[in-house]
Amino acid sequence: MPADETSGPRHLRRNPHGRHLAVRRGIGLYSAAAVIAFAVVGALLLFSSHGPRTLTVAESGPSTQRGDDRSADSDRRASRGEERTGDAPSRQPSPTASAEAKPSPAQTTAQPPPSTTTAAPSPRVIAAVGELTQAEMNNAVTIIRTGQQLGLPSRAYVVAISTALQESHLHNLANSNVPESLNLPNEGVGSDHDSVGLFQQRPNWGTVAELMNPAEAARRFYNALVGVDGWQQMQVTVAAQTVQVSAFPDAYAKWQALAEQVVTAAAP
């Protein structure tokens, strides 16, 4: 006969609710396991969603530090470069210098070939003749060249040189009585009234500057000479006196031979 379900030893007793209790216990265990599983899954999900972001932040520290180190190294290299730049000039041309060095279109235009025209020779120096100095000879040559430019014959040169020899001995003289003449190029200082220059011409002949210019003074003498009727047939001294109206009308005659010698040398 089976043991009483409510009597006998406890472990031998049969509990009518045992099956239901076991079922409830199994369900409770499964529920606990499910809760644990859900908790683990939830933790894993939480770790997967927040973990990488945390790791990224954690790992970004060394990376940022390395970037800062590289930036500091770059700044130090730039500083050293600036120090070297301050110590020695840069060999690289600046943009401004390159722009300035670039030739303009006008500069790059082909230049015309050099002229092949022969330059006019400088006036030939005629050596002094007779008793003249070279400076006196030069003034005589100026008188001759001026007459040639005016198209006058050689006799006019002889008259003019004879006159200048008598008046100044072919010196371009200033005058102590004419202060302006002292400030102009001269070859000595005279004192005869207000006469100046090679021909000792007075103010009625022109300005002081004009009369102190040997070529201009000669031109003015020639203009007066050619205004004398028959001057070419006159004796040299008479022609000169007619122009100069000197107090010594025959004084020019003694210079005629030397004047002719000068003309022969300078205007053959």
Short mmCIF file of all heavy atoms in Angstrom, two decimals, residues 147-148 150-161 163 221-244 256:
data_model
loop_
_atom_site.label_atom_id
_atom_site.label_comp_id
_atom_site.label_asym_id
_atom_site.label_seq_id
_atom_site.Cartn_x
_atom_site.Cartn_y
_atom_site.Cartn_z
N GLY A 147 84.11 134.68 -91.78
CA GLY A 147 84.05 135.27 -93.11
C GLY A 147 83.69 134.24 -94.16
O GLY A 147 82.94 134.55 -95.11
N GLN A 148 84.20 133.01 -94.01
CA GLN A 148 83.85 131.95 -94.96
C GLN A 148 82.37 131.62 -94.90
O GLN A 148 81.74 131.36 -95.93
CB GLN A 148 84.71 130.72 -94.68
CG GLN A 148 86.18 130.90 -95.03
CD GLN A 148 87.03 129.71 -94.60
OE1 GLN A 148 86.71 129.02 -93.63
NE2 GLN A 148 88.13 129.47 -95.33
N LEU A 150 80.05 133.61 -94.24
CA LEU A 150 79.33 134.71 -94.88
C LEU A 150 79.58 134.76 -96.38
O LEU A 150 78.98 135.59 -97.08
CB LEU A 150 79.72 136.04 -94.24
CG LEU A 150 79.32 136.21 -92.76
CD1 LEU A 150 79.92 137.51 -92.20
CD2 LEU A 150 77.81 136.21 -92.61
N GLY A 151 80.46 133.87 -96.86
CA GLY A 151 80.74 133.82 -98.29
C GLY A 151 81.60 134.98 -98.80
O GLY A 151 81.50 135.35 -99.98
N LEU A 152 82.44 135.53 -97.94
CA LEU A 152 83.28 136.67 -98.32
C LEU A 152 84.62 136.20 -98.89
O LEU A 152 85.09 135.11 -98.56
CB LEU A 152 83.51 137.57 -97.11
CG LEU A 152 82.24 138.18 -96.49
CD1 LEU A 152 82.58 138.98 -95.25
CD2 LEU A 152 81.52 139.05 -97.51
N PRO A 153 85.25 137.02 -99.70
CA PRO A 153 86.55 136.67 -100.28
C PRO A 153 87.66 136.80 -99.24
O PRO A 153 87.50 137.40 -98.18
CB PRO A 153 86.73 137.68 -101.41
CG PRO A 153 85.93 138.86 -100.97
CD PRO A 153 84.75 138.31 -100.23
N SER A 154 88.83 136.22 -99.55
CA SER A 154 89.94 136.20 -98.60
C SER A 154 90.46 137.59 -98.27
O SER A 154 91.02 137.80 -97.19
CB SER A 154 91.08 135.34 -99.16
OG SER A 154 91.54 135.88 -100.39
N ARG A 155 90.26 138.57 -99.16
CA ARG A 155 90.73 139.92 -98.84
C ARG A 155 89.98 140.47 -97.62
O ARG A 155 90.55 141.23 -96.83
CB ARG A 155 90.54 140.86 -100.03
CG ARG A 155 91.16 142.25 -99.80
CD ARG A 155 91.23 143.04 -101.08
NE ARG A 155 91.81 144.38 -100.87
CZ ARG A 155 93.10 144.63 -100.78
NH1 ARG A 155 93.98 143.62 -100.88
NH2 ARG A 155 93.55 145.87 -100.62
N ALA A 156 88.74 140.13 -97.48
CA ALA A 156 87.99 140.56 -96.30
C ALA A 156 88.63 140.00 -95.03
O ALA A 156 88.70 140.67 -93.99
CB ALA A 156 86.54 140.13 -96.41
N TYR A 157 89.17 138.76 -95.10
CA TYR A 157 89.81 138.16 -93.93
C TYR A 157 91.07 138.96 -93.58
O TYR A 157 91.35 139.19 -92.39
CB TYR A 157 90.20 136.71 -94.17
CG TYR A 157 89.16 135.85 -94.87
CD1 TYR A 157 89.57 134.74 -95.60
CD2 TYR A 157 87.80 136.12 -94.80
CE1 TYR A 157 88.65 133.93 -96.24
CE2 TYR A 157 86.87 135.31 -95.45
CZ TYR A 157 87.31 134.23 -96.18
OH TYR A 157 86.40 133.44 -96.83
N VAL A 158 91.80 139.36 -94.60
CA VAL A 158 93.03 140.12 -94.36
C VAL A 158 92.72 141.44 -93.68
O VAL A 158 93.40 141.86 -92.73
CB VAL A 158 93.80 140.35 -95.68
CG1 VAL A 158 95.00 141.27 -95.45
CG2 VAL A 158 94.26 139.01 -96.26
N VAL A 159 91.69 142.14 -94.17
CA VAL A 159 91.30 143.41 -93.56
C VAL A 159 90.89 143.19 -92.10
O VAL A 159 91.30 143.96 -91.20
CB VAL A 159 90.16 144.07 -94.35
CG1 VAL A 159 89.67 145.34 -93.64
CG2 VAL A 159 90.61 144.41 -95.77
N ALA A 160 90.09 142.18 -91.84
CA ALA A 160 89.60 141.94 -90.48
C ALA A 160 90.75 141.57 -89.54
O ALA A 160 90.81 142.06 -88.40
CB ALA A 160 88.55 140.84 -90.50
N ILE A 161 91.66 140.70 -89.97
CA ILE A 161 92.76 140.28 -89.10
C ILE A 161 93.72 141.43 -88.86
O ILE A 161 94.22 141.62 -87.73
CB ILE A 161 93.46 139.05 -89.69
CG1 ILE A 161 92.52 137.84 -89.64
CG2 ILE A 161 94.74 138.74 -88.92
CD1 ILE A 161 93.04 136.61 -90.35
N THR A 163 92.92 144.51 -88.70
CA THR A 163 92.23 145.38 -87.74
C THR A 163 92.34 144.83 -86.32
O THR A 163 92.64 145.56 -85.36
CB THR A 163 90.74 145.52 -88.13
OG1 THR A 163 90.65 146.04 -89.46
CG2 THR A 163 90.02 146.43 -87.16
N PHE A 221 81.80 143.08 -87.65
CA PHE A 221 82.82 143.83 -88.41
C PHE A 221 82.62 143.63 -89.91
O PHE A 221 82.65 144.59 -90.69
CB PHE A 221 84.23 143.40 -88.01
CG PHE A 221 85.30 144.07 -88.78
CD1 PHE A 221 85.80 145.32 -88.40
CD2 PHE A 221 85.83 143.50 -89.94
CE1 PHE A 221 86.79 145.98 -89.15
CE2 PHE A 221 86.81 144.14 -90.69
CZ PHE A 221 87.28 145.37 -90.29
N TYR A 222 82.42 142.37 -90.33
CA TYR A 222 82.23 142.08 -91.75
C TYR A 222 80.99 142.80 -92.30
O TYR A 222 80.99 143.30 -93.44
CB TYR A 222 82.09 140.59 -91.99
CG TYR A 222 83.39 139.82 -91.91
CD1 TYR A 222 83.50 138.68 -91.10
CD2 TYR A 222 84.49 140.21 -92.65
CE1 TYR A 222 84.68 137.97 -91.05
CE2 TYR A 222 85.69 139.49 -92.60
CZ TYR A 222 85.78 138.37 -91.80
OH TYR A 222 86.96 137.66 -91.75
N ASN A 223 79.90 142.83 -91.53
CA ASN A 223 78.69 143.50 -91.99
C ASN A 223 78.95 144.98 -92.25
O ASN A 223 78.41 145.56 -93.22
CB ASN A 223 77.57 143.34 -90.96
CG ASN A 223 76.99 141.93 -90.93
OD1 ASN A 223 77.16 141.17 -91.89
ND2 ASN A 223 76.32 141.59 -89.84
N ALA A 224 79.77 145.58 -91.39
CA ALA A 224 80.11 146.99 -91.61
C ALA A 224 81.04 147.15 -92.81
O ALA A 224 80.91 148.12 -93.59
CB ALA A 224 80.75 147.57 -90.35
N LEU A 225 81.97 146.20 -92.98
CA LEU A 225 82.94 146.30 -94.09
C LEU A 225 82.24 146.22 -95.44
O LEU A 225 82.52 147.03 -96.34
CB LEU A 225 83.97 145.19 -93.97
CG LEU A 225 85.02 145.12 -95.11
CD1 LEU A 225 85.87 146.40 -95.14
CD2 LEU A 225 85.89 143.88 -94.94
N VAL A 226 81.36 145.24 -95.59
CA VAL A 226 80.71 145.08 -96.90
C VAL A 226 79.75 146.23 -97.19
O VAL A 226 79.29 146.38 -98.33
CB VAL A 226 79.99 143.71 -96.99
CG1 VAL A 226 80.96 142.57 -96.84
CG2 VAL A 226 78.87 143.60 -95.94
N GLY A 227 79.46 147.02 -96.16
CA GLY A 227 78.62 148.18 -96.37
C GLY A 227 79.38 149.38 -96.91
O GLY A 227 78.76 150.40 -97.22
N VAL A 228 80.71 149.25 -97.00
CA VAL A 228 81.56 150.34 -97.52
C VAL A 228 81.67 150.16 -99.03
O VAL A 228 82.12 149.10 -99.51
CB VAL A 228 82.95 150.32 -96.87
CG1 VAL A 228 83.85 151.38 -97.49
CG2 VAL A 228 82.82 150.51 -95.35
N ASP A 229 81.29 151.19 -99.78
CA ASP A 229 81.37 151.10 -101.24
C ASP A 229 82.82 151.00 -101.69
O ASP A 229 83.68 151.79 -101.26
CB ASP A 229 80.72 152.33 -101.88
CG ASP A 229 79.22 152.34 -101.69
OD1 ASP A 229 78.64 151.24 -101.48
OD2 ASP A 229 78.62 153.44 -101.73
N GLY A 230 83.12 150.00 -102.53
CA GLY A 230 84.44 149.86 -103.12
C GLY A 230 85.51 149.38 -102.14
O GLY A 230 86.70 149.52 -102.41
N TRP A 231 85.14 148.77 -101.07
CA TRP A 231 86.13 148.34 -100.07
C TRP A 231 87.16 147.37 -100.66
O TRP A 231 88.31 147.33 -100.22
CB TRP A 231 85.45 147.72 -98.85
CG TRP A 231 84.77 146.38 -99.13
CD1 TRP A 231 83.50 146.18 -99.52
CD2 TRP A 231 85.38 145.08 -99.04
NE1 TRP A 231 83.24 144.84 -99.70
CE2 TRP A 231 84.39 144.13 -99.40
CE3 TRP A 231 86.65 144.63 -98.69
CZ2 TRP A 231 84.64 142.77 -99.44
CZ3 TRP A 231 86.90 143.26 -98.72
CH2 TRP A 231 85.89 142.33 -99.09
N GLN A 232 86.74 146.56 -101.66
CA GLN A 232 87.66 145.58 -102.23
C GLN A 232 88.79 146.25 -103.01
O GLN A 232 89.87 145.66 -103.15
CB GLN A 232 86.89 144.61 -103.14
CG GLN A 232 85.90 143.72 -102.38
CD GLN A 232 85.12 142.80 -103.31
OE1 GLN A 232 84.86 143.14 -104.48
NE2 GLN A 232 84.75 141.63 -102.80
N GLN A 233 88.58 147.45 -103.50
CA GLN A 233 89.63 148.14 -104.24
C GLN A 233 90.45 149.06 -103.33
O GLN A 233 91.47 149.62 -103.77
CB GLN A 233 89.01 148.99 -105.36
CG GLN A 233 88.44 148.19 -106.54
CD GLN A 233 87.12 147.52 -106.21
OE1 GLN A 233 86.29 148.10 -105.49
NE2 GLN A 233 86.92 146.32 -106.71
N MET A 234 90.06 149.21 -102.12
CA MET A 234 90.78 150.07 -101.19
C MET A 234 92.01 149.34 -100.65
O MET A 234 92.07 148.10 -100.62
CB MET A 234 89.88 150.46 -100.01
CG MET A 234 88.71 151.35 -100.34
SD MET A 234 87.73 151.69 -98.85
CE MET A 234 86.42 152.71 -99.52
N GLN A 235 92.99 150.13 -100.21
CA GLN A 235 94.10 149.57 -99.47
C GLN A 235 93.54 148.97 -98.17
O GLN A 235 92.53 149.43 -97.62
CB GLN A 235 95.14 150.64 -99.16
CG GLN A 235 95.84 151.22 -100.36
CD GLN A 235 96.84 152.29 -99.98
OE1 GLN A 235 97.05 152.60 -98.80
NE2 GLN A 235 97.50 152.85 -101.00
N VAL A 236 94.23 147.97 -97.66
CA VAL A 236 93.77 147.29 -96.44
C VAL A 236 93.60 148.28 -95.31
O VAL A 236 92.59 148.28 -94.60
CB VAL A 236 94.74 146.16 -96.06
CG1 VAL A 236 94.42 145.61 -94.67
CG2 VAL A 236 94.69 145.03 -97.10
N THR A 237 94.59 149.14 -95.12
CA THR A 237 94.52 150.08 -94.01
C THR A 237 93.39 151.08 -94.16
O THR A 237 92.76 151.48 -93.18
CB THR A 237 95.86 150.82 -93.82
OG1 THR A 237 95.82 151.57 -92.61
CG2 THR A 237 96.15 151.71 -95.01
N VAL A 238 93.09 151.49 -95.42
CA VAL A 238 92.01 152.43 -95.66
C VAL A 238 90.65 151.76 -95.40
O VAL A 238 89.76 152.35 -94.78
CB VAL A 238 92.08 152.99 -97.11
CG1 VAL A 238 90.87 153.86 -97.41
CG2 VAL A 238 93.37 153.76 -97.32
N ALA A 239 90.52 150.55 -95.86
CA ALA A 239 89.26 149.82 -95.62
C ALA A 239 89.03 149.64 -94.12
O ALA A 239 87.91 149.82 -93.61
CB ALA A 239 89.30 148.49 -96.34
N ALA A 240 90.09 149.24 -93.39
CA ALA A 240 89.97 149.05 -91.95
C ALA A 240 89.62 150.36 -91.26
O ALA A 240 88.75 150.39 -90.36
CB ALA A 240 91.26 148.47 -91.40
N GLN A 241 90.28 151.45 -91.64
CA GLN A 241 90.03 152.74 -91.03
C GLN A 241 88.61 153.24 -91.31
O GLN A 241 87.97 153.84 -90.45
CB GLN A 241 91.05 153.76 -91.55
CG GLN A 241 90.79 155.20 -91.13
CD GLN A 241 90.82 155.41 -89.63
OE1 GLN A 241 91.36 154.59 -88.88
NE2 GLN A 241 90.23 156.52 -89.17
N THR A 242 88.12 152.94 -92.50
CA THR A 242 86.76 153.37 -92.84
C THR A 242 85.74 152.71 -91.91
O THR A 242 84.74 153.34 -91.53
CB THR A 242 86.46 153.00 -94.30
OG1 THR A 242 87.45 153.61 -95.16
CG2 THR A 242 85.09 153.48 -94.71
N VAL A 243 86.01 151.50 -91.55
CA VAL A 243 85.09 150.79 -90.63
C VAL A 243 85.30 151.26 -89.19
O VAL A 243 84.33 151.53 -88.46
CB VAL A 243 85.27 149.27 -90.74
CG1 VAL A 243 84.42 148.55 -89.69
CG2 VAL A 243 84.91 148.77 -92.13
N GLN A 244 86.57 151.37 -88.75
CA GLN A 244 86.86 151.61 -87.34
C GLN A 244 86.84 153.10 -86.96
O GLN A 244 86.60 153.42 -85.80
CB GLN A 244 88.23 151.02 -87.00
CG GLN A 244 88.31 149.50 -87.09
CD GLN A 244 87.45 148.79 -86.05
OE1 GLN A 244 86.38 148.31 -86.36
NE2 GLN A 244 87.92 148.76 -84.80
N GLN A 256 99.47 144.08 -92.23
CA GLN A 256 98.93 143.43 -93.43
C GLN A 256 99.70 142.17 -93.79
O GLN A 256 99.10 141.14 -94.12
CB GLN A 256 98.91 144.40 -94.61
CG GLN A 256 98.34 143.79 -95.88
CD GLN A 256 98.21 144.80 -97.03
OE1 GLN A 256 98.29 146.02 -96.81
NE2 GLN A 256 98.01 144.31 -98.24
#
